[in-house]
Amino acid sequence: MKRSLAVLLFASCAALAAPDDEAFLEAREAFQRGDIARLDQVAKQLDDDYALAPYVQYWQLRSRLADLSPGEIQNFLARYKNSLVADRLRADWLRQLAKDRDWPGFLREYPQLTTEDPELVCFAYQARLAQGESGILTRARPLWFTAQVLPESCLPLFELMLKNDMLTAEDTWIRIRLALEIGNVSGARTLLGYLPAAQRPDPKSLDSISRRPQHYLDRTALPLKTRAQRELAIYALYKTAEGWPQTAAERLPKISKEWPDAERDYAWAQIASVAARNLHPDALTWFRNAGNGMNDRQLTWRARAALRAGNWNDVLAAIEAMSPAEYKWPQWRYWKARALSALGRESEANALLAPLSNQFSFYGQLAAEELGTSISTVPQTYRPDDDEVEAIAKEPGIVRALKLYEIGLRYEGALEWQWAVKDYEDKQLLAAAELASRNQWFERAIDTAERTVLLHDFGLRYPTPYRELVQDYAGQLGLDEAWVYGLVRQESRFVHTARSTAGASGLMQLMPSTARWVAKRLGLSGHHGTLTSTADSNIVLGTYYLREMMDSLDNQMVLASAGYNAGPRRAREWIASRALEGAVYIETIPFSETREYVKRVMNNTLYYARLLRQPGPSLRERLGIIPARMPQNN
């Protein structure tokens, strides 16, 4: 009886607060459409102790921020100290102070801000400059080196850097390259304006190259004398390589004879990177033409090309050339250890694997298995009692989060929840995760339980709702129940109303076209879009489609997982001309989303297998060997 008390209290309070909920939603709508008079009117209808009253007060203050006295703002910040709405109001106030050029006031408040905001970071640098602090531009200079578009508050800093010769033409070309590498042509076009006028190519040339790169390269008199002309040619080679890597590789030596070595090396690295993403067999050879000095993005694809080719020397060379920021990722420490082991350097390999094996991630488990250990049961080192759960349920931030969740504002509720638990210790995190689980808010339970450092409850990390449905349909179709759960957890975190930006919906995130196809195969008449919104129907259609993936992809769980995310045709195209370890196949998947998706699904599967007390294989055994691609019949 006591176990359900937190849920019962939450439900009873929700029922009593229904009129306030309606008023809150109306106030929210009024704020969003800028009807401040209506906002003020509706705000009077709310009880003072209503859980979400701070949001309404925040909207009222924000709507008249320019007219408020510092005291009015400070009163709100003090009343709701350390809350999400207080941090938001402080950020809004800082923007107003920056607009008013009240730099002393800005610098007084800025250290109290919890959330890092790029716009406010640059305003803070402006404020320190205005106060006469020295060395500010030097400290701000690293902001320049990004592929992303930065807020306008950063532009005055960059203008001053240019004026003081702290940004060179080379620095500008570095950032232009970064933008073009991720396809940000409009950003690169803007950045051309930072080059000296005499060194600035026509911005329209980037657009024409993007559309017809080979046409640009095939000009009878291709201009290559200046840095700008050569950079445009490099970009044209890069874009050509996206569709015809061999053509780009053949063209580069013909036009680059007089180029500086660094530019020629970069061009080779760009062609090789595209080729590696396209799984071209010559990618590794072209990387060797690039020499040293590759950036992290290029080095990651060199490492993947070397993995695919089975060349452990090149795997090691690529990883050792990565920056510390890139090398920190578990995959590179694991693959470096594998390379060292393959090259006979076992003690060095084990020194890398040992700390990695303590992680509960995909590569943490593979590292443990390399060392001869594998999980047979999942850790459950702490279980919160009812008193701990009840205490968490009374925390104001948690109360607000659950209320937002209850009235259908799941996204806003998640933000409030994440803020509330950000400083929790392990016991509090597990109590909060248990509370979320009792309220069937499984994605919050999972996320919160995953944050623990020393104390763990993997039943909260890997919940098993809809057990009868999953067990029934997985059994009928001969699917591994643990795998089905691993996939559902990754697809939707058990949110049966989940909908992706692409239009996929439900627990197993089915696209409408896929759902219609499966429904037709199953003989379900009258299929319409709402069929995938119920847990039962979504699992029926999703498990059937997963069975189709297995049947069409040689009963390979790794291939079927990739096919479920990216389509079976792509999963087949990614098969190599030689047999690959499942882990190598996964690491060399060209799409980062699918690559990470398959890792998580397979890692989830291992943990679910242990939670469901399946003795089953290790992770590496589950990944298996992906056979070589069968030769095509002409």
Side-chain angles (χ1 to χ4, degrees):
M1 185 72 179
K2 187 177 180 182
R3 178 175 169 76
S4 61
L5 181 59
V7 178
L8 290 174
L9 285 172
F10 171 55
S12 63
C13 290
L16 293 172
D20 278 343
D21 295 344
E22 293 176 5
F24 172 81
L25 291 171
E26 188 176 351
R28 178 174 178 266
E29 185 179 345
F31 171 71
Q32 289 176 338
R33 66 172 183 265
D35 188 347
I36 307 309
R38 182 58 182 162
L39 170 63
D40 291 340
Q41 184 180 11
V42 176
K44 297 175 183 177
Q45 302 173 21
L46 289 169
D47 290 338
D48 290 339
D49 59 353
Y50 177 59
L52 301 180
Y55 278 87
V56 179
Q57 295 167 28
Y58 161 67
W59 295 331
Q60 290 178 293
L61 291 173
R62 183 181 172 187
S63 299
R64 47 181 64 89
L65 194 60
D67 301 323
L68 295 177
S69 68
E72 290 175 286
I73 299 172
Q74 291 287 8
N75 286 339
F76 181 88
L77 296 179
R79 184 177 182 184
Y80 300 111
K81 187 177 180 180
N82 299 326
S83 69
L84 177 60
V85 287
D87 202 61
R88 285 179 175 173
L89 183 64
R90 179 171 276 111
D92 294 331
W93 187 23
L94 286 166
R95 290 186 182 89
Q96 184 64 46
L97 291 170
K99 181 180 179 181
D100 296 340
R101 292 296 186 264
D102 182 357
W103 297 125
F106 183 99
L107 290 175
R108 280 195 301 272
E109 282 303 314
Y110 184 69
Q112 309 304 317
L113 186 70
T114 299
T115 305
E116 185 168 320
D117 182 308
E119 181 184 24
L120 295 176
V121 167
C122 285
F123 275 138
Y125 281 127
Q126 286 194 49
R128 290 171 183 138
L129 275 172
Q131 295 298 100
E133 287 189 38
S134 60
I136 296 301
L137 292 179
T138 300
R139 289 161 59 187
R141 191 172 182 274
L143 292 172
W144 173 260
F145 298 96
T146 176
Q148 306 303 323
V149 177
L150 291 169
E152 289 189 9
S153 61
C154 299
L155 300 184
L157 299 171
F158 298 149
E159 296 294 340
L160 281 171
M161 290 179 202
L162 284 168
K163 184 178 179 180
N164 288 278
D165 297 324
M166 295 178 66
L167 284 179
T168 65
E170 175 63 25
D171 294 330
T172 301
W173 279 119
I174 288 173
R175 191 168 170 202
I176 291 169
R177 284 177 172 183
L178 290 172
L180 292 175
E181 283 181 16
I182 66 166
N184 184 8
V185 179
S186 62
R189 196 188 313 115
T190 300
L191 289 167
L192 292 176
Y194 285 91
L195 291 168
Q199 301 177 32
R200 194 180 304 158
D202 181 0
K204 294 179 182 178
S205 58
L206 291 177
D207 297 304
S208 62
I209 290 171
S210 293
R211 291 191 299 269
R212 302 175 66 189
Q214 281 189 268
H215 178 75
Y216 180 86
L217 292 173
D218 288 340
R219 295 165 63 179
T220 52
L222 182 63
L224 297 169
K225 291 183 179 180
T226 68
R227 171 70 182 272
Q229 291 168 343
R230 294 191 298 273
E231 289 289 344
L232 291 177
I234 291 171
Y235 181 53
L237 288 164
Y238 174 62
K239 295 299 291 184
T240 296
E242 290 181 340
W244 304 276
Q246 195 71 44
T247 300
E250 291 172 356
R251 190 63 188 272
L252 174 57
K254 297 176 182 177
I255 65 174
S256 65
K257 293 176 182 177
E258 304 299 324
W259 291 14
D261 290 344
E263 292 175 16
R264 188 186 308 106
D265 288 351
Y266 179 75
W268 273 121
Q270 286 294 84
I271 292 171
S273 295
V274 176
R277 291 199 303 276
N278 289 332
L279 308 180
H280 195 285
D282 291 331
L284 193 56
T285 299
W286 297 334
F287 270 120
R288 290 171 185 151
N289 292 339
N292 300 319
M294 283 182 269
N295 61 36
D296 280 336
R297 182 172 169 274
Q298 294 160 347
L299 288 166
T300 60
W301 283 107
R302 181 187 176 191
R304 292 188 179 108
L307 280 171
R308 197 169 175 86
N311 188 313
W312 293 109
N313 282 302
D314 273 32
V315 170
L316 184 60
I319 295 173
E320 288 187 332
M322 292 176 183
S323 71
E326 183 62 36
Y327 178 67
K328 72 178 182 182
W329 296 106
Q331 63 264 34
W332 303 129
R333 283 179 283 142
Y334 173 77
W335 289 118
K336 180 178 179 179
R338 288 289 306 279
L340 289 169
S341 178
L343 297 173
R345 297 159 64 178
E346 291 289 346
S347 60
E348 294 174 75
N350 291 342
L352 290 174
L353 293 170
L356 187 58
S357 68
N358 293 321
Q359 299 181 12
F360 301 119
S361 64
F362 177 79
Y363 281 114
Q365 291 311 302
L366 286 178
E369 291 173 13
E370 286 293 321
L371 293 172
T373 62
S374 180
I375 60 167
S376 55
T377 58
V378 293
Q380 182 174 321
T381 56
Y382 191 80
R383 185 79 175 179
D385 60 31
D386 291 324
D387 290 338
E388 291 173 298
V389 176
E390 292 297 338
I392 288 294
K394 294 174 184 176
E395 289 288 324
I398 296 294
V399 172
R400 287 192 290 270
L402 287 170
K403 173 56 71 174
L404 288 163
Y405 169 64
E406 182 214 339
I407 63 177
L409 300 179
R410 183 185 291 269
Y411 174 73
E412 291 86 347
L415 293 178
E416 184 71 60
W417 183 281
Q418 289 167 348
W419 182 275
V421 305
K422 64 182 175 61
D423 296 322
Y424 280 5
E425 296 179 351
D426 284 359
K427 290 183 179 181
Q428 294 171 300
L429 287 169
L430 292 175
E434 175 64 22
L435 178 64
S437 180
R438 292 182 189 185
N439 283 282
Q440 298 186 349
W441 200 1
F442 296 113
E443 73 270 34
R444 289 301 99 220
I446 293 168
D447 178 77
T448 307
E450 282 188 327
R451 294 170 181 249
T452 58
V453 178
L454 298 175
L455 305 177
H456 309 292
D457 185 340
F458 275 69
L460 291 170
R461 291 192 185 202
Y462 296 92
T464 54
Y466 314 107
R467 180 72 194 277
E468 290 185 8
L469 290 174
V470 173
Q471 199 169 32
D472 184 16
Y473 294 122
Q476 289 183 41
L477 294 165
L479 295 172
D480 183 340
E481 181 188 357
W483 181 43
V484 175
Y485 263 120
L487 186 138
V488 175
R489 182 184 188 271
Q490 184 57 30
E491 286 286 354
S492 66
R493 294 290 178 102
F494 305 102
V495 180
H496 73 88
T497 58
R499 182 173 293 274
S500 74
T501 54
S505 63
L507 290 170
M508 299 189 72
Q509 288 292 281
L510 293 165
M511 292 294 290
S513 58
T514 302
R516 286 193 296 270
W517 178 80
V518 174
K520 185 176 180 180
R521 292 286 299 268
L522 290 172
L524 300 176
S525 59
H527 170 67
H528 49 85
T530 58
L531 182 57
T532 59
S533 64
T534 67
D536 195 328
S537 58
N538 199 281
I539 292 173
V540 169
L541 299 176
T543 51
Y544 184 88
Y545 185 59
L546 197 54
R547 179 71 262 174
E548 287 290 314
M549 289 294 100
M550 283 290 277
D551 292 343
S552 65
L553 292 164
D554 302 324
N555 277 315
Q556 290 277 350
M557 197 177 288
V558 166
L559 295 180
S561 299
Y564 194 92
N565 180 263
R569 178 182 59 82
R570 289 195 180 102
R572 290 189 202 96
E573 289 175 349
W574 299 334
I575 297 173
S577 58
R578 69 184 190 91
L580 293 179
E581 285 183 38
V584 172
Y585 173 90
I586 295 170
E587 188 55 56
T588 59
I589 289 174
F591 298 170
S592 59
E593 177 192 328
T594 304
R595 185 166 60 248
E596 297 308 311
Y597 171 90
V598 178
K599 290 177 189 178
R600 292 190 177 104
V601 167
M602 297 307 299
N603 196 51
N604 293 348
T605 299
L606 181 70
Y607 280 103
Y608 272 115
R610 300 303 180 255
L611 278 165
L612 298 173
R613 303 191 185 283
Q614 296 177 4
S618 67
L619 178 57
R620 187 166 182 176
E621 289 169 336
R622 285 178 180 276
L623 301 180
I625 301 295
I626 309 301
R629 182 191 299 115
M630 296 295 291
Q632 298 292 322
N633 294 323
N634 295 325

